[in-house]
């Protein structure tokens, strides 16, 4: 059984929670607070309407000398200028009140005239951003050696390897997906299930980029650690995630000092458009649940990608068009087109018909939609793979996954975490659109698609993928069927030339 790796991280020990609202304190309504009181409860619209981005950029330019001289950089200089507090730093240094102040009756702030409003907005945003990073880090700080994928043999549910060395190399590659998953999780933590909006998209993309960068740093450092069996994946994952937490603290400390963390942007990129001026707080539990689902799904994808697992379809739903029929329980109708998930089980080297193998469901596919995999479905596998194919054909790798996560958030056209494991790149099972075969006179084309059965064997006597030999050949290789004779031996026996 695979339990939630991230749930273990969060709940294996008690943690001290941050205050539910880490805003600057607002005193009771009956108390006089000075001019700043009229600017309480700001919104992103307030930030935009009063040009706070431009105001902050101008402030930093005009106070560059103060920032460079202050031991705590930007936060130290801004905090002292705005509140008079020389200890304001927003650093993770053991102090709990170094990014927090009561603006009410603060004479320094209330004497700023026209600068009161933007200064207060920036102070509140800094407090909330600091609380966000500290909350995220404390959620994972307790990570121990425990992890989800810690039971010996868990991988055999989805993978039947020919040798153990291949299993280990395959499992190690699963870790490459972790970087993009961190970015997806951070999006859920900041936006929840909502789609990104233009006002906050830039800030969210910066945070996701910084998180993915942090994960990549730790992945590079730790992924080659000892991994002798599949159960070691859990401990290695725990190490990488725990070390990534340390990078969250580094991100916080760097940006508040005025630095640009790993070329992801300085403090202005995180505060842009008032993204944090009224931020309600991170949803760490939703983030952890989302990352858990994505990691399980991508782990299965990586295992399946080493086997003869593929997706075929593209014809009209409910109409075989003379191309055969697929397994309905492992197929979907998308935009009027039918698509099916297959696994070509290799033959038994006997002299019977079974020596050519047969098509059936991929190993472990019946586990989806229930128990540990209840939030991952066959529809997710097919939809995610088709979207991956449409973006990068058979070349959707870990780098493309990170790139597309950031593009989706920055462009405000999708929240990958809210979409769930149907998000592109989660699954990259090779796809072949066979609809073009409907108008071809190919031999035995009625067997291109087949239902699952131990005597069910497709026959492909043409350029089955988009009526294109080059694309068909790329599909065959992507699906690990290069040199595989089963789908074409009846064609070659008849003298038909096959170019894959």
């Amino acid at each position: 059984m695979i339990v939630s790796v991230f749930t273990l991280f969060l709940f294996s020990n008690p943690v001290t929670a941050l205050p539910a609202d880490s805003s600057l304190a607002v005193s009771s309504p009956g108390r006089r607070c000075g001019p700043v009181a009229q600017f309480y409860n700001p919104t992103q619209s307030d930030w935009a309407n009063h040009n706070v981005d431009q105001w902050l950029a101008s402030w930093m330019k005009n106070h560059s000398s103060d920032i460079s001289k202050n031991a705590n950089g930007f936060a130290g200089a801004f905090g002292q200028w705005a509140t008079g507090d020389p200890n304001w730093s927003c650093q993770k240094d053991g102090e709990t009140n170094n990014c927090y102040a009561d603006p009410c009756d603060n004479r320094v702030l209330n004497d700023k005239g026209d600068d009161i409003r933007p200064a207060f907005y920036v102070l509140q945003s800094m407090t909330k951003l600091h609380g966000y990073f500290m909350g995220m880090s404390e959620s994972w700080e307790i990570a121990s050696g425990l992890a989800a994928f810690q039971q010996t043999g868990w991988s055999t549910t989805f993978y039947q390897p020919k040798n153990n060395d291949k299993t280990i190399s395959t499992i190690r590659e699963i870790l490459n997906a972790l970087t993009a998953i961190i970015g997806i999780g951070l999006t859920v933590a900041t936006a929840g299930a909502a789609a990104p909006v233009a006002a906050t998209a830039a800030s969210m993309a910066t945070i996701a980029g910084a998180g993915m960068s942090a994960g990549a740093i730790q992945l590079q450092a730790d992924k080659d650690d000892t991994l002798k069996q599949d159960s070691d994946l859990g401990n290695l994952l725990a190490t990488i995630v725990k070390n990534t937490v340390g990078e969250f603290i580094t991100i916080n400390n760097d940006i508040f000092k005025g630095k640009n963390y790993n070329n992801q942007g300085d403090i202005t990129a995180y505060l842009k458009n008032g993204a944090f001026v009224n931020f309600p707080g991170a949803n760490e539990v939703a983030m952890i649940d989302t990352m858990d689902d994505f990691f399980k799904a991508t782990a299965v994808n990586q295992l399946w990608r080493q086997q003869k697992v593929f997706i075929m379809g593209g014809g009209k739903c409910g109409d075989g068009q003379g191309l055969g029929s697929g397994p309905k329980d492992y197929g979907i109708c998308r935009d009027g087109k039918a698509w099916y998930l297959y696994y070509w089980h290799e033959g038994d080297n006997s002299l019977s018909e079974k020596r050519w193998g047969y098509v059936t469901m991929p190993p472990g596919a019946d586990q989806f939609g229930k128990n540990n995999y209840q939030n991952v479905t066959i529809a997710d596998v097919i939809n995610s793979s088709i979207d991956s194919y449409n973006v990068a054909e058979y070349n959707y790798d870990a780098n493309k996954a990170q790139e597309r996560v950031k593009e989706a958030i920055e462009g405000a056209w999708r929240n990958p975490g809210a979409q769930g494991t149907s998000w592109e790149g989660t699954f990259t099972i090779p796809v072949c659109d066979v609809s073009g075969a409907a108008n071809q006179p190919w031999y035995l084309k009625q067997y291109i698609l087949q239902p699952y059965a131990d005597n069910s064997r497709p026959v492909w006597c043409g350029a089955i993928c988009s009526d294109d030999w080059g694309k068909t050949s790329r599909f065959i290789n992507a699906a690990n069927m290069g040199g595989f004779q089963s789908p074409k031996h009846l064609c070659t026996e008849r003298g038909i030339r096959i170019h894959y």
Side-chain angles (χ1 to χ4, degrees):
M1 178 184 72
I2 298 178
V3 296
S4 167
V5 56
F6 300 104
T7 300
L8 283 170
F9 292 160
L10 182 60
F11 297 113
S12 61
N13 285 301
V15 295
T16 301
L18 291 177
D21 184 356
S22 56
S23 308
L24 298 176
V26 176
S27 302
S28 63
R31 181 182 170 191
R32 290 179 57 84
C33 288
V36 72
Q38 63 187 303
F39 307 128
Y40 288 163
N41 304 312
T43 65
Q44 291 169 7
S45 295
D46 292 329
W47 180 289
N49 291 338
H50 293 88
N51 301 312
V52 180
D53 283 330
Q54 294 86 337
W55 179 90
L56 178 57
S58 178
W59 187 94
M60 293 177 72
K61 180 179 180 181
N62 294 334
H63 292 81
S64 59
S65 177
D66 296 333
I67 293 172
S68 62
K69 291 177 182 177
N70 195 293
N72 291 311
F74 164 75
F78 190 87
Q80 186 164 6
W81 174 86
T83 71
D85 183 357
N87 297 314
W88 184 280
S89 70
C90 299
Q91 295 293 294
K92 172 72 171 178
D93 58 8
E95 291 292 330
T96 57
N97 293 314
N98 62 14
C99 200
Y100 178 82
D102 187 346
C104 188
D105 285 340
N106 185 295
R107 294 187 62 181
V108 174
L109 180 60
N110 278 296
D111 284 344
K112 293 296 181 187
D114 291 342
D115 289 332
I116 296 173
R117 181 198 296 268
F120 170 64
Y121 289 178
V122 172
L123 285 170
Q124 172 141 312
S125 296
M126 291 169 66
T127 296
K128 287 178 173 287
L129 178 60
H130 176 69
Y132 170 81
F133 278 119
M134 294 305 96
M136 302 298 283
S137 66
E138 289 182 13
S139 294
W140 289 337
E141 226 166 35
I142 47 129
S144 66
L146 297 176
F149 301 90
Q150 61 181 359
Q151 293 190 1
T152 301
W154 68 265
S155 63
T156 58
T157 300
F158 305 98
Y159 184 39
Q160 300 298 323
K162 293 182 177 180
N163 62 72
N164 189 58
D165 290 341
K166 180 66 172 178
T167 303
I168 298 308
S169 63
T170 297
I171 290 174
R172 182 173 281 112
E173 290 304 309
I174 292 172
L175 294 168
N176 288 333
L178 181 59
T179 304
I181 293 173
I182 288 173
I184 291 170
L186 289 172
T187 306
V188 172
T190 51
V197 294
T200 58
S203 176
M204 289 173 58
T206 300
I207 289 174
M212 289 190 289
S213 180
I217 290 170
Q218 298 310 314
L219 180 63
Q220 186 64 34
D222 298 321
K223 73 170 291 188
D224 291 328
D225 282 1
T226 302
L227 186 61
K228 295 181 178 179
Q229 55 187 2
D230 57 0
S231 59
D232 291 334
L233 176 63
N235 292 334
L236 186 51
L237 173 63
T239 297
I240 293 172
V241 173
K242 183 177 180 180
N243 290 340
T244 298
V245 168
E247 283 299 302
F248 276 92
I249 294 171
T250 300
I251 295 170
N252 175 88
N253 292 348
D254 278 4
I255 64 172
F256 279 111
K257 282 190 174 182
K259 298 179 181 179
N260 182 331
Y261 175 81
N262 215 20
N263 298 316
Q264 297 300 317
D266 65 9
I267 186 69
T268 59
Y270 294 81
L271 301 183
K272 189 174 182 178
N273 295 326
F276 280 86
V277 74
N278 60 347
F279 183 63
N283 189 340
E284 291 99 340
V285 173
M287 175 193 70
I288 289 165
D289 288 344
T290 298
M291 292 175 69
D292 185 38
D293 289 337
F294 271 86
F295 196 81
K296 289 174 182 175
T298 52
V300 173
N301 177 68
Q302 184 62 33
L303 294 170
W304 281 357
R305 283 303 310 273
Q306 309 308 309
Q307 303 170 88
K308 293 177 176 62
V309 177
F310 55 93
I311 293 167
M312 273 194 160
K316 295 179 181 178
C317 297
D319 182 353
Q321 296 182 281
L323 304 179
S325 59
K328 291 182 174 56
D329 290 342
Y330 288 83
I332 65 168
C333 182
R334 167 175 161 149
D335 299 328
K337 298 180 179 180
W339 299 93
Y340 304 99
L341 178 65
Y342 285 103
Y343 166 56
W344 199 309
H345 193 291
E346 293 190 20
D348 57 11
N349 296 318
S350 68
L351 295 178
S352 69
E353 280 295 306
K354 284 192 175 182
R355 72 183 183 278
W356 300 110
Y358 56 92
V359 288
T360 184
M361 71 172 188
D366 57 347
Q367 299 300 307
F368 284 179
K370 57 188 178 184
N371 300 325
N372 288 312
Y373 297 89
Q374 61 182 341
N375 295 324
V376 185
T377 67
I378 296 301
D380 290 343
V381 177
I382 299 175
N383 280 316
S384 175
S385 296
I386 292 174
D387 288 342
S388 301
Y389 171 79
N390 288 337
V391 170
E393 201 179 75
Y394 309 117
N395 301 305
Y396 201 113
D397 58 13
N399 290 332
K400 177 61 70 174
Q402 295 172 49
E403 173 188 317
R404 292 287 288 176
V405 166
K406 193 166 183 180
E407 283 180 4
I409 301 166
E410 197 165 34
W413 51 267
R414 195 63 55 83
N415 179 338
Q419 180 172 329
T421 54
S422 66
W423 166 251
E424 67 175 64
T426 309
F427 289 94
T428 58
I429 305 303
V431 173
C432 176
D433 183 346
V434 301
S435 59
N439 298 318
Q440 297 294 337
W442 295 339
Y443 178 58
L444 297 179
K445 72 176 185 179
Q446 67 270 31
Y447 296 106
I448 288 177
L449 298 172
Q450 289 284 279
Y452 295 163
D454 60 7
N455 63 349
S456 187
R457 179 164 54 90
V459 180
W460 302 335
C461 290
I464 56 169
C465 300
S466 304
D467 197 19
D468 181 317
W469 280 116
K471 185 169 289 188
T472 300
S473 180
R474 293 194 295 275
F475 163 76
I476 290 292
N477 290 326
N480 300 294
M481 292 191 285
F484 191 50
Q485 298 300 311
S486 295
K488 60 184 178 181
H489 87 94
L490 291 177
C491 318
T492 55
E493 286 179 357
R494 194 177 177 85
I496 299 171
R497 298 187 67 179
I498 302 298
H499 303 286
Y500 65 77

